[in-house]
Amino acid sequence: MKTVGIIGGGIIGATAAYYLAQQTNLQVTLFDDAHGQATKAASGIISPWLSKRRNKRWYNLASYGAELYQQLVADANLDESIYEQTGTIVTRKDSNAVNELYELAVSRSMNSSAIGTIKKVTSADIMAMMPIVNCTESGIYVSGGAKINGQKLVDHLISAAESKGMSTIRKRVMLSSDNEVTFDNNRIKFDSLVLAPGAFLKELLMPLGYKVDIRPQKGQLVDFKLADWDTDRLPVMMPESENDIIPFKGGIITIGATHENDQGFDLEPTDPEILALTQSGGKFIPQLNSAAQIAIRVGTRGYTSDFAPFFGQLTPDSKVFVAGGLGSSGLTTGPIIGK
Ligand SMILES: Cc1cc2nc3c(=O)[nH]c(=O)nc-3n(C[C@H](O)[C@H](O)[C@H](O)COP(=O)(O)OP(=O)(O)OC[C@H]3O[C@@H](n4cnc5c(N)ncnc54)[C@H](O)[C@@H]3O)c2cc1C
């Protein structure tokens, strides 16, 4: 039996673990200490089609990534507490910008049916679809948009892989060679390795003499609980120049997220950023100003000089597979890269 070690249990490592563990001829071991994990701190938005990023390879990857969720939902039996397709609304202050966005969505729908139905929506339409929201802007609604709970998704994929025989070791590990993992006083050799440590890839590969173009970006967000409001089945709202509003079941509203390039691997919540998130969300949902903050989540994204992810073999005939640099859209691109 061949052995595979996976370092990193975020969305890439957990998806890779899930699919590798289905292979009966492989013994899989996952190493993860969850420190600084981006996946569990993420907002959860899966909706790449209205992005204005010009990088076509990134767009294709993200669009295939959004499509893959349908397969992952079926393969891994994901319920609505993990993945829920309730659509996305993107607003613009200017009606010409709404028209441009609509054209973009229609042109992208030619190659991606996962975008679903595309509609222009007025401020009245938005408030009818999201009764908790006050909105003066119009925008575009796409029915294919979805939201995920990153923490629950990786927990689910890892426990499904464990039920197929995978071992999980909750430790910080190092590489002592391209086939050996060390932690405490242990050394374990593998036939193949998958390196998916998020923002920590630079540190992980340094002992092997690699310089990796990846840097940390701090992201903070706030989860609120609105006791008297029904938030079930509400779409995600991405207002222009403001933070995103992600409603989850049970009155939970997430507002996120910050993109802080100068904070290294710091994981402390900071008052000015949390206040700014609250005020941004409060412009559309005034009740947030007095709502209970039930959690502040902080994670570290890994991003690259060209803001594009990378993945593949470490060298052309290497048994080491590396993936990282997913930046702000890694919940969308992570599963397809991991798979
Ligand atoms: C606040 C925030 C909001 C976001 N919102 C969205 C969103 O709405 N939509 C979207 O598509 N993307 C979003 N993202 C981006 C997305 O979360 C990330 O791009 C993606 O989760 C990265 O996945 P990953 O598997 O590469 O890394 P991670 O999720 O960071 O996982 C890496 C794991 O490896 C572990 N690890 C690292 N080194 C070691 C080691 N030596 N030994 C053991 N374990 C190790 C870490 O502890 C961690 O658990 C957001 C990110 C943040 C922070």
Side-chain angles (χ1 to χ4, degrees), residues 38-231:
T39 303
K40 69 180 180 188
S43 315
I45 304 171
I46 310 297
S47 191
W49 309 283
L50 301 177
S51 165
K52 294 198 120 182
R53 279 181 70 169
R54 285 165 195 227
N55 181 335
K56 283 197 178 141
R57 293 178 74 197
W58 170 82
Y59 174 74
N60 287 336
L61 183 71
S63 166
Y64 290 137
E67 264 170 51
L68 179 78
Y69 266 99
Q70 300 308 326
Q71 191 189 334
L72 192 59
V73 166
D75 288 351
N77 252 325
L78 305 183
D79 67 25
E80 285 199 341
S81 73
I82 301 177
Y83 173 92
E84 199 180 12
Q85 197 169 39
T86 50
T88 313
I89 295 168
V90 178
T91 71
R92 290 287 178 266
K93 296 183 170 74
D94 171 62
S95 61
N96 290 331
V98 172
N99 291 335
E100 265 174 36
L101 203 58
Y102 182 76
E103 297 304 325
L104 179 72
V106 170
S107 72
R108 285 184 167 165
S109 69
M110 309 294 172
N111 296 319
S112 181
S113 58
I115 193 172
T117 311
I118 306 161
K119 281 197 299 198
K120 285 186 195 173
V121 281
T122 62
S123 56
D125 295 331
I126 294 172
M127 290 190 286
M129 294 165 96
M130 299 187 78
I132 55 168
V133 157
N134 269 344
C135 180
T136 54
E137 297 169 16
S138 50
I140 301 295
Y141 166 81
V142 295
S143 66
K147 57 209 170 190
I148 66 160
N149 181 318
Q151 171 86 70
K152 285 190 179 173
L153 175 61
V154 294
D155 288 349
H156 181 91
L157 293 173
I158 290 171
S159 76
E162 286 170 343
S163 72
K164 295 278 182 185
M166 183 179 84
S167 311
T168 305
I169 298 177
R170 300 275 175 198
K171 291 274 180 186
R172 199 78 177 171
V173 300
M174 289 176 62
L175 288 174
S176 42
S177 72
D178 67 359
N179 68 354
E180 191 177 65
V181 173
T182 62
F183 60 98
D184 301 336
N185 292 320
N186 302 287
R187 289 175 175 275
I188 311 180
K189 282 196 186 300
F190 291 96
D191 295 312
S192 291
L193 281 172
V194 175
L195 309 184
F200 304 92
L201 186 59
K202 190 175 188 167
E203 288 69 13
L204 188 65
L205 276 172
M206 207 175 287
L208 305 193
Y210 289 91
K211 287 185 187 158
V212 182
D213 173 25
I214 192 163
R215 41 197 108 149
Q217 181 186 65
K218 181 177 179 182
Q220 310 189 51
L221 55 71
V222 197
D223 296 324
F224 294 92
K225 171 107 177 158
L226 290 180
D228 303 326
W229 289 85
D230 180 6
T231 53

